[in-house]
Structure formats: structure tokens, C-alpha cells
Amino acid sequence: MAEGSKKVVVIGGGTGGYVAALRAAQLGASVVLVEKNALGGTCLNRGCIPTKVLLHTAELASAVREGESVGLFVKGARVDWKVLMQHKAEIVARLVEGVGFLLGANSVEVVRGNAVFRSPGEIVVAQEDGAVRSLSADAFIVATGSVPALPPVPGFDLPGILTSDGALELDALPKSILLVGGGVIGVEFASVFSALGVKVTVVEMLPEILPNMDAELVGYLRQILEARGIRILTSATVKAVRLTEDGYATVVATDAEEEIATEKVFVCTGRRPFTQGLGLEEIGVRTERGRVAVDGQMRTSVPGIYAVGDCASPIMLAHVASAEGEVAAEVIMGRKAAMDYRCVPSGVYTAPELAGVGSTEAELAKSGRPFIVGRFPMNSNAKALIAGMPDGMVKVLADKETGEILGMHVLGPRATDLIVEGTLAMKSELTVDEIVATIHAHPTLGETVKEASLDVLSRALHLPPKE
């Protein structure tokens, strides 16, 4: 069968699904995409994008409050939550429309409805208009994403308890909020709510927030957040939540139990793969703890069926889902492709931002591999000082013998942009010598990456000599 004659059906129009559909269409496939809700999935409609809209406004609000120190005086500045919500809706609508336009421009047919496998080669779709449509294909890509995970805690099912799907639809800002979970979702929302004047408490079961990020920089970020009035309780367990006249009372156990009263409670303890109701088990697709089992080419246990994104991926990030979607499409269309999870960047859009790629210092220490650490503080960078964002640092981890970059971690302004250089360096197996030999524009935040790399070699030009 020729490449261009293949029929591909994608189930799910999120960042993994629509990218898979676009790539398959580029390679000549006849593509149908089935989506029961809005195109763009969780990331575009209820996650990454709308959250960043709020974070941007929160950052502007903070800059205005602190503006007098740089000569900016603003009278009567305030955040109008309803206007902000409208702005968020407009951004999301524009991007959703853009996804639809791209799919149409690539001749991808979009079918609205719920899909269920009838056999490995056929699905039936219960469409929005009540009709039932059968679709057969040479290959299917399952990209059904994830849903919020709610732990079995008494009270988490009370009316008004927020999850990541509902927190972006608040009618008004609460006066106080308790966030259950100190992962990326919890810490980002803590940063947003605090900057907008909400009294924030974060409860995390593990010994530290953001457990998958570099511990040194996480500790630094925690100090910054706590200095802004965010209360962070770690090694803490939520025992129960009950309704009160003014909101909720949450029983939290650390060394002792206390009851914390807040207007709102937001459970942000992560997400779980969504695979229910697809008929995967009935046709023999293997799952592992609710996640579709796949190989490095995104193939499931059933020939012709692939899975990408949160429903299958070991790393539940939008950019990983997109990469997996491209791999699946290319494999289906006869190309050589496979996922490489060694160099996946992670970002936390707090203020300041936190980002990382590759190994952390703790991981390298545990592995026994000899390594060297280079650091450069943001308060020694001209652009960071000009922007009034001196908190944070760049941290580069390199092999002690070869100088190969093993990890890069950034806390500071535009950390999620700076991490691209570290990701490219790791993917290309570059050494710190090659970063150092690259001319970085001045004045830029990117100079911190070069200086941290110089520090690996004990040659940092804008730091005092090491003892």
C-alpha cells in the first residue's frame, strides 16, 4: 500500500491528537479526527494556555505595585477579574479557532462525538447530532488525554470543591484558598492567586514542593513564595474537608492536626489517564495502571493502534504529547522515528519561573557518575537587574571528565525560554566548552547560561574567583 493511500483516524483533538493528525496529513494520509469537546484539549482550553493568561496579568500587577522603585507611578491600578476572564476566553477561542483552521487547511476531517472501538480496525462515533457513524482505518491514534485525579479524602466531593478543570471558571476571586498539592499546578495557581491578593495556603504530602525539579532551586523558590505570604505546609496530609458558613474547614495533619478555614479549596493533586469507555480492553489493547502501554514508537499491543499524550505517556506534558503525536504519525506512514525522553524540558510558570532539563544534582549524586556543578546568580546579570527580577540562578551540571552537559536548571525571569538552550545542548551532546565558545548577545538573560557554564570550568568572568 502506498504511503499516500493510508487512512488514519485520531481519537482526541488535544495537543497530541491534533499534531498527530496534521503530521499524518502532511505525509499524505487521509485523516479523520474525532473530538467530543473543544479542539485543543485540556492544555488549550483548561490548562497550559488559560493558566498562563492569568499568570501574565498577575506578573503585570506585581510589576505595577513595585513600579515606584523604577520611577513608575500608577494610581488606582486594579485587576478586574471579570475582564481578565473575558480576555482569557478570547485568547483560548482564538487559538482553538486556529487549530480548526490548520486542520481544515490540511484536509483533516473533524467529527464531533464519542468514539468506541468495535474492532481493531473500526470505531463507531456517537455524534453530537445524534447520528452514529462507523469509521474504519489502516491505523488509529488514541489521544484521549487525562482528567483530574481526586484522592479518596472525605469532603473532596463536596459542592464547590475546585479542580484544575474548574478553577479557571471562578465568578470572582476568593479572599482565601487552600491548594491541596504542591506540584506544578498547585504552585502555579498559588503564585497567581497570591499576586492577585488572595490569602494562599499550599498543602503538600511530600517533604518538598515540586519534587521532580532540582531541590536547590526549589528551596530557593519556596523562600521567595513564602516571603510573599504564601503559607506552604510540606509532609502534610489532608484528613477531611467540611462545609462552613464562610466556605470550608480543612483538617491538615503535620506534626499535629490543625483546621484551616478558607473560602475555597482547590484539589490539584495531579491527573490520571483517561481511557474509560473506549473499548480498548475489549479489543485486546494492554493497559498498565490505567495508562495505555506503548513502545518507543507509540505502538500499543494491538497492531495498527497507537497511543500518544497523557493517556499513554510516561511524562504528562503538552510538548511531549505533541512530539509523541509526530512520532506515531511518522511510524504509521513508514518513516523511521522513535521517542527520546532524555531531553524533555519542564517548566513552572511561577514568578520567578523555574525550568529544568536532564538530570538533577540529586539524581547524579545517586547514580555515582562524577560531575561538576556551575552556578550563576541572576543578580549578577544586567538584564535581570534592569527587569527588576534579580532572584534566582542558572545551574549547569556537566560530566567531570568530558564536560558533556548532563542537566541544566534555571530559576529566574524567562527561565522557561532559557531552558531551550540547555535542551538543545543536551540533545546535541554538547560540552560546556562549546557553550562557552558560543558568543551570547549582551545584554541578555542568555548570558547567565554562558557564565554558569564558565563556572563549571572555574572561569566565570562576572563572579569572584572560587577559593
Side-chain angles (χ1 to χ4, degrees), residues 24-334:
Q26 284 180 345
L27 294 172
S30 173
V31 184
V32 176
L33 185 149
V34 181
E35 172 56 59
K36 63 181 180 180
N37 295 313
L39 293 172
T42 295
C43 174
L44 181 46
N45 293 280
R46 301 177 300 280
C48 321
I49 300 304
T51 305
K52 296 342 170 246
V53 173
L54 303 191
L55 283 159
H56 177 66
T57 295
E59 185 178 322
L60 290 175
S62 297
V64 168
R65 281 196 298 271
E66 298 162 7
E68 293 185 8
S69 64
V70 296
L72 175 65
F73 292 81
V74 180
K75 273 192 173 184
R78 64 184 180 86
V79 173
D80 187 311
W81 181 254
K82 290 187 177 180
V83 174
L84 176 54
M85 289 295 98
Q86 180 60 36
H87 174 59
K88 178 209 71 173
E90 290 170 358
I91 294 291
V92 169
R94 179 173 178 175
L95 292 173
V96 169
E97 182 181 355
V99 171
F101 170 79
L102 290 171
L103 291 169
N106 284 275
S107 300
V108 175
E109 181 186 0
V110 177
V111 175
R112 301 287 183 173
N114 284 286
V116 179
F117 277 95
R118 178 177 287 171
S119 71
E122 182 187 15
I123 63 170
V124 290
V125 182
Q127 297 182 184
E128 286 182 340
D129 59 6
V132 177
R133 181 174 173 184
S134 174
L135 294 170
S136 59
D138 300 299
F140 291 89
I141 301 174
V142 179
T144 48
S146 61
V147 292
L150 287 178
V153 174
F156 277 2
D157 58 351
L158 287 170
I161 294 289
L162 301 172
T163 68
S164 54
D165 281 353
L168 293 161
E169 304 302 329
L170 286 170
D171 293 331
L173 277 173
K175 293 180 180 178
S176 58
I177 191 166
L178 183 138
L179 300 160
V180 184
V184 175
I185 298 172
V187 173
E188 285 187 353
F189 271 101
S191 186
V192 168
F193 285 127
S194 177
L196 298 180
V198 179
K199 183 179 179 182
V200 178
T201 302
V202 177
V203 178
E204 169 56 50
M205 182 176 64
L206 296 175
E208 188 53 276
I209 57 173
L210 302 169
N212 296 321
M213 305 297 285
D214 184 83
E216 180 182 10
L217 297 191
V218 168
Y220 194 163
L221 176 60
R222 178 173 178 170
Q223 291 177 6
I224 294 169
L225 296 177
E226 289 180 327
R228 291 178 183 157
I230 298 174
R231 187 185 182 198
I232 299 175
L233 302 175
T234 47
S235 298
T237 305
V238 174
K239 295 293 187 180
V241 182
R242 63 179 178 84
L243 282 169
T244 66
E245 288 185 4
D246 300 317
Y248 302 87
T250 305
V251 179
V252 179
T254 50
D255 294 333
E257 283 191 2
E258 67 171 304
E259 191 170 81
I260 302 172
T262 54
E263 186 178 334
K264 290 291 183 182
V265 172
F266 179 2
V267 182
C268 38
T269 48
R271 300 179 67 85
R272 60 176 177 81
F274 179 75
T275 58
Q276 290 75 25
L278 293 173
L280 294 174
E281 297 83 356
E282 288 79 0
I283 61 170
V285 173
R286 187 167 63 88
T287 59
E288 297 174 347
R289 300 177 66 182
R291 178 175 277 110
V292 180
V294 293
D295 63 11
Q297 295 181 305
M298 314 317 296
R299 295 176 296 202
T300 71
S301 58
V302 174
I305 300 180
Y306 298 71
V308 304
D310 285 5
C311 70
S313 179
I315 304 175
M316 297 170 80
L317 294 171
H319 45 280
V320 174
S322 294
E324 291 169 342
E326 290 186 70
V327 167
E330 290 176 5
V331 171
I332 289 169
M333 299 306 290

